[in-house]
Amino acid sequence: MFFSVSSVLSAFQCLVFTQRIKMLDIVALTGLLLVMVAMLIRYQQHSAKIFGGAMLVTLAAGWINADELLANAANPGLATLIMLILISFALEKTGLLRKVSRFLFTDSEHASVWRTMGLSALASSVLNNTAVVAALLNAVRNNKKVAASRLLIPLSYASIMGGTLTLIGTSTNLIVNSMFTDTGHAGFQFFDFTLVGAIVLTGGLITLYIVSRFLPHHTNDTKETTEYYVEAELSEDSPLVGKHVDEAGLRHLEDLFLAEIVRQGGHEILRPVARYDVLQAGDKLLFSGDISKVKTLNQFDGLKLFADDNGLETHQLTEVIIKEESVLTGRTLKSTGFRARFDAAVVAIRRDGGKISGKLGEVTLQAGDFLLLATGPDFASRTNLSKNFYVLSGVEPENMLSGWREKLTLYGFLTMIAATVATGASLFYGVLFLLGALLFSGCLNVNEIKRRFPVEIWVIVTSALCIAEALTNTGASAAIADFARDSLAGHTPFVLLAGVFLITYLLTEVITNNAAAALMFPVAYSLSQGMGVDPFPIILGVAFAASASFITPYGYQTNLMVFNASNYRLKHFLFSGVPVAVVYILLTLLGIWLVFPLSTT
């Protein structure tokens, strides 16, 4: 009897100890998630590193094992996502959108706004919306019929909403789908998003059209010229040395303004520049203004452009946008070996509607920066252009597709979608065979895939799957489910949908959309399990919420691109974005509720 009681006590103590360990694991994992959110808000550009670090913590803590990590890294949904991104590289090299864009603009501003919004939304339903905006951006800015300032915000917002129309419309949908299939569910079909997306898009475009009437009206011939910054250096033998700025004739240049003077290697900056400031040899003069007037500076003896130091002429200028995955991001022009890497030199930089200070060679570059390049003879043939830039005007890269290869890419993509929908086959097989066809035909090549492989997305999704697994293994998912069962008892499933949607949306406004989706999925799934609600519409809500960012220009790449390409201010995004965001939220919740009944499991 004594032995039996001792055994029971020992077993009870072991159980209590195990429960304490489990509780410590849950607390530690919760702390890890909170730290991740804080770091993602502070360091958005390092999302992959933050997720990767969290994944290593879960592995080191024993919350997941190596087999689970490897299984997540080879997740079929993730593989489908990666292959679709690789296929999108070939689609970017076709000229379809640029050809269609010539029909966007008419003498009627109303018709032009609707055409621009409609094309960007429909194109974004099957293409990367950042590539869509990049392809249409220059046509919008250069059109002579409608002020670009009335079109650029609608262009960006419509492309964001268009991405919600199909499964492949945005990488966020595919990320959520890969995590959903990992739970053992069938996942989303190609058009599962379409009905809700159509409801949201219809209301969103009507709202966009209304707010576009209140956007600033800047004529296109004077717009977009005030934010480019050009550097010129005063040589030792220049006749301008020793003269006042006004005397040298640098204060009254046509459409160019002397913004600041950098001297003594950057140790002294004169800003603003006074008319009586005396010019010194070696001064770096930073001008802002119309980039088409940059050649005016060549008329001054001893005044050399930043590009002149690289031996390149400025007769033909090419305008590009730095991509998020570019190797230039976070580095200075001086440290990148820009001339050797691209056979080009930077003439001017434009950023965020704000000023750039200091020498151009020491400016830290960011994704979304506009660069004006003086290009050499080998620029067009450089194979690394597509990874680093969206080329807006000037010299086009030689790897653009044309002829039968362009048709193969476009028709092959449409055939893949049609076959997948018609047969009900897994999207995995369709993208696998299409990717193989593009490789064998030369529309894509192995080196291009190596250079542009989406490592960051792969790391984020793999890490998110591992974190979701850790939540299950530690019992945190069960704890969340218990919380939902106890705290939300008596509430309708719609309350859960609305709560999950709003939290995800708020996260998307402060961190990247993919990171918001990856963080919220396991929480949303566990909450739905706890309430006994079918997770399908709840997870659909996560996808829609993570795809939306309208209130600031910094939350989404397309917003940043149109911000940089215009003289919009933050107030314009707030004024336009708040009503669009309200309509988007209300119509999404209503659409999901109508199309996918919130039933209990």
Side-chain angles (χ1 to χ4, degrees):
M1 182 71 179
F2 177 76
F3 176 78
S4 177
V5 171
S6 298
S7 298
V8 171
L9 287 174
S10 178
F12 178 75
Q13 289 173 340
C14 288
L15 179 62
V16 171
F17 180 74
T18 302
Q19 290 298 322
R20 285 180 177 175
I21 294 295
K22 200 169 226 184
M23 184 57 65
L24 287 175
D25 285 340
I26 293 174
V27 171
L29 183 54
T30 303
L32 176 64
L33 292 175
L34 293 175
V35 169
M36 283 182 66
V37 172
M39 293 186 69
L40 286 167
I41 293 173
R42 177 64 179 85
Y43 305 105
Q44 281 193 39
Q45 67 274 27
H46 300 300
S47 297
K49 293 178 181 178
I50 294 169
F51 270 92
M55 176 181 65
L56 293 177
V57 170
T58 62
L59 182 65
W63 298 331
I64 63 169
N65 57 47
D67 290 338
E68 290 169 329
L69 189 155
L70 292 173
N72 290 330
N75 177 280
L78 176 55
T80 302
L81 167 61
I82 296 298
M83 288 190 289
L84 270 170
I85 292 174
L86 297 178
I87 289 171
S88 73
F89 299 156
L91 291 169
E92 285 178 18
K93 296 192 293 183
T94 65
L96 177 64
L97 286 177
R98 285 187 173 90
K99 293 173 184 175
V100 174
S101 65
R102 71 187 67 171
F103 302 106
L104 288 179
F105 313 107
T106 71
D107 292 329
S108 168
E109 181 177 304
H110 308 280
S112 298
V113 171
W114 278 109
R115 289 183 183 187
T116 300
M117 294 190 303
L119 176 61
S120 61
L122 291 177
S124 295
S125 68
V126 291
L127 301 174
N128 178 280
N129 53 17
T130 304
V132 169
V133 171
L136 298 178
L137 188 60
N138 212 47
V140 171
R141 291 193 306 164
N142 293 335
N143 91 88
K144 303 299 181 184
K145 297 182 178 180
V146 181
S149 56
R150 295 294 186 97
L151 299 172
L152 288 172
I153 282 180
L155 170 67
S156 176
Y157 288 177
S159 73
I160 293 173
M161 290 186 286
T164 66
L165 287 172
T166 67
L167 173 61
I168 66 172
T170 172
S171 60
T172 306
N173 293 353
L174 290 162
I175 286 174
V176 171
N177 185 61
S178 66
M179 299 184 72
F180 196 29
T181 56
D182 193 59
T183 63
H185 290 79
F188 298 111
Q189 297 300 310
F190 191 86
F191 290 117
D192 280 346
F193 292 81
T194 305
L195 283 177
V196 178
I199 293 171
V200 173
L201 182 63
T202 301
L205 292 187
I206 292 172
T207 307
L208 260 179
Y209 173 73
I210 294 171
V211 299
S212 72
R213 314 306 303 159
F214 301 96
L215 287 172
H217 189 287
H218 298 111
T219 55
N220 294 356
D221 55 349
T222 59
K223 164 71 205 80
E224 59 205 55
T225 61
T226 57
E227 303 299 338
Y228 259 105
Y229 285 81
V230 185
E231 180 187 307
E233 181 177 1
L234 205 60
S235 63
E236 296 280 348
D237 57 353
S238 172
L240 303 180
V241 173
K243 292 185 176 181
H244 294 137
V245 169
D246 197 30
E247 182 186 1
L250 295 177
R251 280 180 57 83
H252 304 289
L253 298 175
E254 182 184 3
D255 296 327
L256 284 175
F257 171 71
L258 181 56
E260 67 181 46
I261 299 175
V262 181
R263 60 178 45 153
Q264 296 180 7
H267 296 292
E268 182 181 356
I269 297 179
L270 305 181
R271 184 179 63 241
V273 178
R275 63 181 180 82
Y276 47 78
D277 284 330
V278 178
L279 297 172
Q280 299 180 10
D283 278 352
K284 305 281 188 180
L285 310 182
L286 198 64
F287 294 88
S288 67
D290 187 348
I291 56 176
S292 67
K293 306 297 183 183
V294 68
K295 295 176 187 176
T296 304
L297 300 177
N298 292 329
Q299 299 173 1
F300 293 87
D301 291 337
L303 198 59
K304 296 191 303 180
L305 294 176
F306 180 76
D308 294 337
D309 291 336
N310 293 275
L312 293 175
E313 298 288 341
T314 56
H315 298 305
Q316 184 169 18
L317 299 176
T318 296
E319 191 175 23
V320 300
I321 303 175
I322 298 178
K323 288 186 173 182
E324 287 182 293
E325 67 266 29
S326 172
V327 296
L328 303 174
T329 304
R331 302 175 65 185
T332 64
L333 289 173
K334 191 174 181 180
S335 68
T336 57
F338 198 93
R339 169 64 195 271
R341 192 185 294 268
F342 303 110
D343 191 31
V346 175
V347 176
I349 299 178
R350 178 191 185 90
R351 171 184 300 164
D352 288 355
K355 293 185 177 181
I356 294 172
S357 180
K359 296 185 288 186
L360 292 194
E362 297 177 359
V363 171
T364 301
L365 301 173
Q366 300 176 7
D369 281 352
F370 281 63
L371 305 180
L372 191 68
L373 306 179
T375 58
D378 295 331
F379 173 79
S381 61
R382 293 297 170 97
T383 57
N384 56 357
L385 296 183
S386 57
K387 176 181 179 180
N388 292 281
F389 305 120
Y390 291 111
V391 178
L392 299 183
S393 63
V395 178
E396 287 284 357
E398 289 180 355
N399 65 346
M400 294 295 288
L401 298 177
S402 60
W404 67 270
R405 285 190 173 86
E406 183 178 36
K407 292 178 181 178
L408 172 64
T409 302
L410 293 172
Y411 293 143
F413 184 73
L414 293 175
T415 301
M416 180 268 292
I417 293 174
T420 300
V421 173
T423 64
S426 169
L427 188 61
F428 174 85
Y429 294 105
V431 296
L432 178 62
F433 285 113
L434 178 58
L435 181 60
L438 294 178
L439 283 168
F440 282 117
S441 64
C443 298
L444 282 174
N445 59 67
V446 175
N447 288 332
E448 189 172 14
I449 289 177
K450 287 180 180 177
R451 289 192 306 272
R452 301 190 63 186
F453 189 86
V455 175
E456 289 201 0
I457 288 181
W458 180 70
V459 170
I460 288 174
V461 178
T462 300
S463 302
L465 291 171
C466 289
I467 291 169
E469 197 116 36
L471 286 169
T472 300
N473 294 343
T474 59
S477 291
I480 295 172
D482 290 340
F483 168 81
R485 196 162 34 246
D486 297 337
S487 302
L488 299 178
H491 292 285
T492 64
F494 186 83
V495 173
L496 173 61
L497 171 64
V500 166
F501 186 95
L502 291 174
I503 293 172
T504 307
Y505 179 82
L506 291 174
L507 278 175
T508 303
E509 290 289 0
V510 294
I511 64 178
T512 64
N513 55 329
N514 290 338
L519 278 175
M520 279 302 298
F521 176 88
V523 176
Y525 185 78
S526 298
L527 287 171
S528 65
Q529 294 291 95
M531 281 193 69
V533 176
D534 180 7
F536 186 97
I538 307 300
I539 301 308
L540 193 70
V542 171
F544 270 90
S547 295
S549 181
F550 304 107
I551 296 178
T552 74
Y554 307 107
Y556 208 89
Q557 177 72 0
T558 59
N559 290 348
L560 185 59
M561 289 167 65
V562 299
F563 185 39
N564 287 0
S566 65
N567 67 346
Y568 288 138
R569 294 294 179 261
L570 182 60
K571 65 180 181 181
H572 297 127
F573 282 85
L574 287 171
F575 178 81
S576 305
V578 169
V580 172
V582 170
V583 169
Y584 184 95
I585 292 169
L586 293 177
L587 289 182
T588 303
L589 293 174
L590 177 64
I592 293 175
W593 180 68
L594 290 174
V595 178
F596 300 100
L598 297 165
S599 58
T600 55
T601 55

